[in-house]
Amino acid sequence: MSAATPIASLGQHVGDEILVEGWLYNRRGSKALQFLELRDGSGIVQGVVAKKADAALFEAAAQLTQETSLRVRGVVSEHPKRPGTYELKVSALDVVAAPTEEYPISPKEHGVDFLMDRRHLWLRSKRQHAILRVRAEIVAAIRDYFDGNGFTLIDAPIFTPNAAEGTTTLFETDYHGEPAYLSQTGQLYMEAAAASFGKVYCFGPTFRAEKSKTRRHLQEFWMVEPEVAFMDFEGDLQLAEDFLVNIVSRVLDRRGEELKVLERETAKLEAVQKPFPRLRYDDAVKLLQEKGIDAKVGDDFGGDDETVIAEAFDRPVMVTHYPMDLKAFYFKRDPADPSRALGMDVLAPEGYGEIIGGGQREDDLATLEAAITAHGLDLETFDWYRDLRKFGSFPHAGFGLGVERTVAWLCGLKHVRETVPFPRMLNRLRP
Ligand code: 4AD
Ligand code: MG
């Protein structure tokens, strides 16, 4: 254990001499004073070194360069004009390691590619730090929500023998001579687990070989997928709504500081309350047409269409009853109109696009088998999945929420690339 005091807790140490272990984030100096911005992961504090007080210490401070790792001792005081802001009157500093080269990321503007190539260093910047803190809060909120509502966490495998979300986005690997695919979704396994545990969820990375470069697509992204036995489509919509409201309010409650760093307009997030508007697919098409967009029934919505639909509402909108032809094989048909799926997409406001996809699953064996075949998939690979319809088939439903798009929305980021520590994109595998 280190004897250092986290910067975040300096408020409890006013008047004390404490030790900070961290890095030099920035330095400003005048003839009389050196201001050292120190960061330790928990926060940032300004250390002040006065020449008058200690000339040798002042000289040492004046030599420090950005990202030097340090141990700094000093007495904590509260800023006279800014309550809640603390300073450190530095009494001693030890350089742990001085950078061997000039740090490449300076406070000036850099291009995104330049920064992405140095993502391992860029993570140290204030904005990136704030984004990943919000991400960690969202992840914790997701776990707490399901753990606190009677769900059991069931981990889905990553190597899978079959496609579940279409064959065009599969990453194939060699599994000892047999092809295996990186998981696009844990859903099918959650359906199996729901028959044992009732309410389950999985939460992990999923993979899609998306050939398009968009601001909403990653090759590797995290998805949480609840699945509930004996829950119908209506129950699924209500679960998604309750879940999202909970996540947003938790982030507003606990990550206000980070949202401030990100200059996120929080009023727009406070509007995220139940009930969410619901819009049938056909009405969504009409809405697009009214806005002058060339859309017709049977078309899938692109990212821009989703933005236009969402802009009509101040909170997430649930688009339902898509044509079966646009949906994966496992969707249950609407008994009132078998050409339509009991499926939903939840579109986030402000142009952040689809954050949730889900629905009720086909539970009739013959109908499911026909759908598997119609999608050009091989019945045999789905033997185990078909078993679920042979042995006590049950109505069930669930959904998947993409973590990165949720982070982008809550943080107000245009692109998902900064929502994950080390993004995997069409043209980027490194660092
Ligand atoms: O709508 P999708 O494809 O749904 C499923 O995978 C279902 N099996 C989930 C279920 O019912 N259990 O994906 C769900 C969500 C999307 O709404 C989106 O938020 C996210 O996953 N997503 C992606 N996020 C980033 N990059 C990509 N390439 C994504 N593809 C989907
Ligand atoms: Mg979808």
Side-chain angles (χ1 to χ4, degrees):
M1 267 295 280
S2 131
T5 302
I7 290 171
S9 71
L10 290 191
Q12 296 150 39
H13 295 277
V14 175
D16 300 346
E17 188 182 55
I18 54 108
L19 168 69
V20 168
E21 290 177 325
W23 294 262
L24 183 68
Y25 193 53
N26 200 6
R27 180 175 61 79
R28 290 178 297 119
S30 67
K31 285 210 170 104
L33 295 167
Q34 287 291 327
F35 297 103
L36 309 178
E37 247 192 291
L38 305 167
R39 55 170 197 86
D40 72 346
S42 80
I44 293 185
V45 67
Q46 175 166 277
V48 185
V49 186
K51 189 169 188 176
K52 217 168 48 187
D54 188 332
L57 190 64
F58 178 88
E59 284 313 319
Q63 303 305 314
L64 296 175
T65 56
Q66 191 184 348
E67 294 307 316
T68 299
S69 48
L70 293 164
R71 288 199 182 86
V72 179
R73 281 187 191 283
V75 177
V76 180
S77 62
E78 189 163 16
H79 194 286
K81 290 195 196 115
R82 276 180 278 154
T85 302
Y86 303 93
E87 266 188 2
L88 205 59
K89 191 189 272 178
V90 177
S91 50
L93 59 86
D94 267 332
V95 170
V96 177
T100 57
E101 292 172 32
E102 189 182 351
Y103 190 64
I105 303 176
S106 60
K108 72 166 196 213
E109 291 266 316
H110 296 285
V112 173
D113 274 332
F114 178 91
L115 291 167
M116 273 298 170
D117 286 342
R118 293 158 186 79
R119 183 66 175 163
H120 49 293
L121 301 176
W122 190 22
L123 292 181
R124 305 178 186 194
S125 303
K126 241 181 238 177
R127 274 182 63 84
Q128 301 308 313
H129 187 269
I131 293 166
L132 295 181
R133 276 266 181 99
V134 172
R135 179 187 173 100
E137 191 67 46
I138 291 171
V139 169
I142 289 170
R143 291 193 185 287
D144 287 348
Y145 181 86
F146 290 118
D147 293 344
N149 281 290
F151 286 73
T152 301
L153 172 72
I154 301 289
D155 302 311
I158 300 289
F159 286 122
T160 60
N162 51 257
E165 295 297 335
T167 48
T168 54
T169 63
L170 285 174
F171 273 112
E172 190 174 323
T173 60
D174 172 24
Y175 198 79
H176 307 294
E178 181 190 346
Y181 309 99
L182 299 186
S183 177
Q184 298 168 307
T185 167
Q187 177 195 321
L188 308 192
Y189 297 99
M190 291 308 100
E191 293 184 52
S196 174
F197 299 88
K199 295 163 82 172
V200 296
Y201 74 103
C202 63
F203 195 3
T206 44
F207 306 85
R208 300 211 186 157
E210 307 274 6
K211 301 298 186 306
S212 55
K213 270 197 240 177
T214 80
R215 61 194 181 91
R216 294 172 184 165
H217 288 91
L218 292 163
Q219 308 290 304
E220 176 180 317
F221 63 97
W222 279 62
M223 182 156 52
V224 60
E225 299 182 83
E227 192 72 30
V228 181
F230 297 101
M231 182 169 74
D232 63 6
F233 185 49
E234 175 59 31
D236 201 33
L237 290 164
Q238 288 177 19
L239 179 65
E241 187 178 68
D242 189 63
F243 167 66
L244 265 187
V245 168
N246 186 285
I247 303 303
V248 175
S249 81
R250 162 108 170 227
V251 169
L252 282 170
D253 280 353
R254 302 203 190 173
R255 291 293 157 212
E257 278 304 314
E258 284 76 9
L259 296 178
K260 223 182 273 168
V261 169
L262 298 168
E263 296 173 342
R264 179 65 166 110
E265 206 181 320
T266 49
K268 297 219 162 123
L269 298 178
E270 272 146 21
V272 179
Q273 299 294 342
K274 288 196 273 190
F276 292 170
R278 297 179 183 189
L279 193 63
R280 292 178 71 102
Y281 166 88
D282 288 54
D283 294 322
V285 171
K286 273 190 209 132
L287 191 152
L288 287 172
Q289 289 166 345
E290 281 160 22
K291 304 270 179 194
I293 289 162
D294 179 25
K296 57 181 189 311
V297 170
D299 293 350
D300 207 354
F301 300 138
D304 294 341
D305 302 325
E306 288 174 0
T307 298
V308 172
I309 296 166
E311 269 168 1
F313 306 94
D314 70 340
R315 60 196 77 193
V317 52
M318 310 175 103
V319 182
T320 63
H321 300 88
Y322 285 77
M324 278 300 285
D325 294 345
L326 298 178
K327 289 294 177 189
F329 68 88
Y330 53 71
F331 277 92
K332 189 169 181 64
R333 289 171 186 274
D334 180 5
D337 177 359
S339 74
R340 298 304 148 122
L342 290 180
M344 62 153 158
D345 278 359
V346 180
L347 311 183
E350 303 174 70
Y352 290 97
E354 180 203 324
I355 49 170
I356 286 183
Q360 191 168 340
R361 322 305 187 185
E362 183 52 69
D363 48 20
D364 176 69
L365 180 62
T367 313
L368 177 70
E369 287 177 342
I372 291 172
T373 308
H375 278 79
L377 300 165
D378 176 24
L379 276 181
E380 251 170 54
T381 6
F382 290 95
D383 272 352
W384 69 270
Y385 186 65
R386 287 151 63 212
D387 272 355
L388 307 177
R389 278 70 182 169
K390 291 181 189 165
F391 304 106
S393 193
F394 55 108
H396 59 290
F399 61 79
L401 168 97
V403 169
E404 288 73 15
R405 290 189 193 174
T406 307
V407 176
W409 168 38
L410 298 190
C411 290
L413 310 175
K414 270 210 214 75
H415 200 294
V416 290
R417 67 189 158 213
E418 290 175 40
T419 64
V420 60
F422 295 98
R424 296 293 172 245
M425 297 182 289
L426 189 56
N427 54 358
R428 180 171 296 280
L429 176 64
R430 294 182 178 80

